[in-house]
Amino acid sequence: MAAAEFAAWERHFEAERDHRAAGPDIGWESGARLSPAVRASIRRFRLGEDGDGADLFAKADAAGDPYYAAAVRLFEDEEHNHARLLARLLEAGGATASAGHWSDTVFARMRRSAGLRGELLLLMVAEVVALRYYRALRDGSGDPLTAEVARRILADEERHVPFHCARLRAFVAELPCAARRPFLAG
Ligand SMILES: [Fe+2]
Ligand SMILES: [Fe+2]
């Protein structure tokens, strides 16, 4: 694995964390107007953003690159921040977050039972769905606060996809030549 590549990713995530901390907070006091469909979708996505990263951290530690392991923790911090932003958005819209959904339990189990490569492939599916969702929420909700929250989350999600791709590329480089093409096709 290219340690220098993931040292750069760690610095990138740290810079984003510092930028978030220094930047202005969202104007929650303006409140949000959430239609029933948007409210329901935000509840579902908040659950997906709020996963437990302990298993992923253990797998990243075992992969042997401390820069990658540190970057994974910063990535997970961003996902938890998304859950926090969505909870605040629901609150600003006069709604409460939901406690859980069976599909998130199943997804978490699948992630836990997979190795690092399998978990990253599952995460990539979730990230690609998230990209489409937050773009739609930013452009189609018609509510300024919702659009601002979606814009901020989308900026992070657009970084997550190349981050996971970088690690998956490292897996491909470690495979024997004959196995690379089927893996990439998959
Ligand atoms: Fe997210
Ligand atoms: Fe993400």
Side-chain angles (χ1 to χ4, degrees), residues 79-98:
E79 299 294 19
H80 287 157
N81 187 48
H82 299 169
R84 183 188 69 84
L85 291 173
L86 294 177
R88 295 276 324 251
L89 179 59
L90 286 168
E91 197 183 309
T96 52
S98 51

Side-chain angles (χ1 to χ4, degrees), residues 32-42 90 93 140-141 143 146:
R33 281 195 2 261
L34 307 176
S35 70
V38 167
R39 192 185 312 136
S41 72
I42 293 171
L90 286 168
S141 72
D143 175 68
T146 304

Side-chain angles (χ1 to χ4, degrees), residues 49 75 79 82 127 156-157 160:
E49 298 280 13
F75 151 76
E79 299 294 19
H82 299 169
E127 299 282 15
D156 292 341
E157 305 295 11
H160 294 175

